[in-house]
Amino acid sequence: YEMELRLRHPTGALRWVASATTVANAPSPDRPGEELAYLVLLTDITDRKRAEEQRVQLERQLAAQG
């Protein structure tokens, strides 16, 4: 599954990340017979989110002008 969320960076800044999770088959030495693994990819999308917000603000300004 995929989702977008905000996380607090160790510096204290809020960052937007896109998370993509996949369930895969992978043998587990700790749990014989269970072969599930979760693969998670996090991508920093903070710049994209800022650009989207600027676009929305500009569209609102243009709409207000008429």
Side-chain angles (χ1 to χ4, degrees), residues 26-36:
S28 171
D30 299 332
R31 296 182 181 187
E34 289 187 33
E35 296 188 0
L36 287 180

Side-chain angles (χ1 to χ4, degrees), residues 7-60:
L7 298 176
R8 187 163 304 278
H9 190 272
T11 64
L14 287 174
R15 306 295 292 183
W16 278 98
V17 295
S19 171
T21 304
T22 303
V23 179
N25 290 328
S28 171
D30 299 332
R31 296 182 181 187
E34 289 187 33
E35 296 188 0
L36 287 180
Y38 293 94
L39 306 174
V40 180
L41 174 66
L42 296 177
T43 305
D44 187 335
I45 58 169
T46 304
D47 292 339
R48 186 187 85 198
K49 287 295 215 179
R50 286 182 184 149
E52 287 174 0
E53 181 59 32
Q54 289 176 345
R55 179 187 53 81
V56 168
Q57 289 177 2
L58 288 171
E59 287 174 350
R60 288 180 185 152

